[in-house]
Every structure is written in C-alpha cells, then in structure tokens.
Amino acid sequence: MRTGEVRVLAHQARIGPGVSVLDLCCGVAGPGRMITVESGCHYLGVDCSASALATAQALAGSLPCRFEQARIPPLPGGRFEVVLLLETMLAFPAKEPGGRFAFTVEEGRPLTQQERALMPGADSVWLIELAELAGLLSEAGLSVIWRQEYSSSHHAIAAALLRCYRADSPQIAGEIGAQAIAELIRAHELWGEWLGSGRVRKFAMVAEKQ
C-alpha cells in the first residue's frame, strides 16, 4: 500500500495513542512502524518469517514496537482493539475475522481453473466477492464502517513493478533464480491485466462489531 493509503486506513480504524494494535503477517512492518510513530499506539507485529522480523526489529530501533514469530492461524493470545491484515488476505481461503478489523482485500470471482493454471503460486490466490465477504463479516458480528477502492493506484503499482522486474531480471535472477523471476514477471502481468480490466478490484476496509 502507498503511505497515504495506510494513513487513511489507520485513521478510519481509529488507531491513536494507547490503542492496542495487532498486525498479522506484518513482514518487515513498514506500515506498522509508520502507524506507531504517527499514532502512539501499542503495536504487536506477528509473522512466520524470522528474517523478516529481525529486519523489522532492526528498523524499528527505539520505537515501542513488539514482534513475535508465529504462523497464522491461530491468533496470538491477548486482547487487541484493532487487527490489521494488509496485503495478505488474498492468501487465506477462509476469511472469517473478529475484533475491529482493518484490512485490504482483492475482490472478484474465484479464479477459474484456466486462470489458476496461468497464475504462479495460485494456491495462495483466493479472491472473494464483496457480497460474500459482507456475509462472512456479518456472521462474525461485524459490519463495514468504511470502504475505499484503490484499484487504479494498485494497477499503477503492479505496472511499475513489472517494468522494474523486466529491466532488472538478469540481476534479480542472480539472487533468486531464473524460475523465480519468471514467475514474478508472469504474476505481475496477470495482476496488471486483471486490475486494469476490472476482473479484480482492490479495496481497503474497516469493519467493527455491531
């Protein structure tokens, strides 16, 4: 997500001084660190990657951020006022949430068998239509209090990443291998096509207990 998009989402989720925030699948916690600096929240980032968390901790420096290594699900213990799930919901086939929930989601009909055959790592691509998502949120006792579409900006990001991957493919292949960069390029070609055509739409949302 772009910085401005993260700020808007955090504001709509009412993240402020002293608010307890759980950031699931936080990676190196770029958004989480920024939110902590700007809001004064109590932040816990959780990810399964030890190397990502080591980077997050180093970059956090003296910020009051905590990090834990764990695989999601299950959720860590404790009470949290806001749960963040940024750029990750796509990878979960089951999307029932809880708490005050701020998240991004790729919206659209489930991939066809032909589309799954084209998309590298298709086992981590689980689109959901807005009506189905609203039903799952309602079943969990949540209602959407804010929604913003970012399809256009994310289409631009996918296109920019694709240009960079193509331009630097020899160097990237030297780091991660020829097959991995070929899959990155193919995946971003598809995301660019789908976001550009409306096959997939990108939203940020906040849902709250009714």
Side-chain angles (χ1 to χ4, degrees):
M1 297 182 73
R2 294 178 174 179
T3 299
E5 296 169 1
V6 174
R7 286 195 176 103
V8 170
L9 182 62
H11 173 74
Q12 294 295 333
R14 303 198 303 278
I15 297 176
V19 172
S20 57
V21 176
L22 173 63
D23 188 3
L24 300 175
C25 307
C26 66
V28 299
R33 288 182 280 109
M34 184 189 77
I35 289 170
T36 302
V37 168
E38 297 186 356
S39 73
C41 67
H42 297 313
Y43 175 88
L44 172 63
V46 178
D47 200 276
C48 66
S49 170
S51 61
L53 292 178
T55 300
Q57 188 69 70
L59 292 172
S62 60
L63 289 174
C65 296
R66 296 185 297 122
F67 299 98
E68 291 183 8
Q69 184 180 3
R71 186 168 294 277
I72 306 297
L75 296 178
R79 295 180 61 85
F80 301 93
E81 295 172 76
V82 180
V83 177
L84 298 175
L85 186 64
L86 306 180
E87 304 301 305
T88 316
M89 185 177 280
L90 185 70
F92 291 93
K95 302 184 189 295
E96 297 85 351
R100 187 154 85 244
F101 190 39
F103 60 96
T104 60
V105 62
E106 289 77 7
E107 188 270 343
R109 302 180 313 279
L111 296 185
T112 65
Q113 286 299 113
Q114 183 179 11
E115 288 171 331
R116 298 191 72 80
L118 293 173
M119 171 60 76
D123 59 345
S124 64
V125 178
W126 301 97
L127 299 173
I128 188 169
E129 295 183 272
L130 287 182
E132 182 182 355
L133 179 59
L136 292 173
L137 291 168
S138 179
E139 289 173 9
L142 300 170
S143 59
V144 175
I145 61 172
W146 176 81
R147 183 179 82 191
Q148 178 68 51
E149 184 172 355
Y150 288 118
S151 300
S152 179
S153 64
H154 284 252
H155 177 244
I157 290 170
L161 285 170
L162 179 58
R163 289 193 297 270
C164 291
Y165 290 145
R166 284 173 171 165
D168 297 333
S169 59
Q171 297 95 314
I172 298 173
E175 295 291 330
I176 64 174
Q179 180 178 346
I181 184 58
E183 290 178 350
L184 274 175
I185 289 172
R186 184 56 182 146
H188 283 76
E189 288 173 343
L190 288 170
W191 284 121
E193 292 173 11
W194 293 347
L195 286 164
S197 67
R199 168 66 179 89
V200 174
R201 296 188 296 167
K202 185 62 174 274
F203 289 91
M205 296 187 184
V206 178
E208 190 172 45
K209 283 189 176 180
Q210 299 172 0

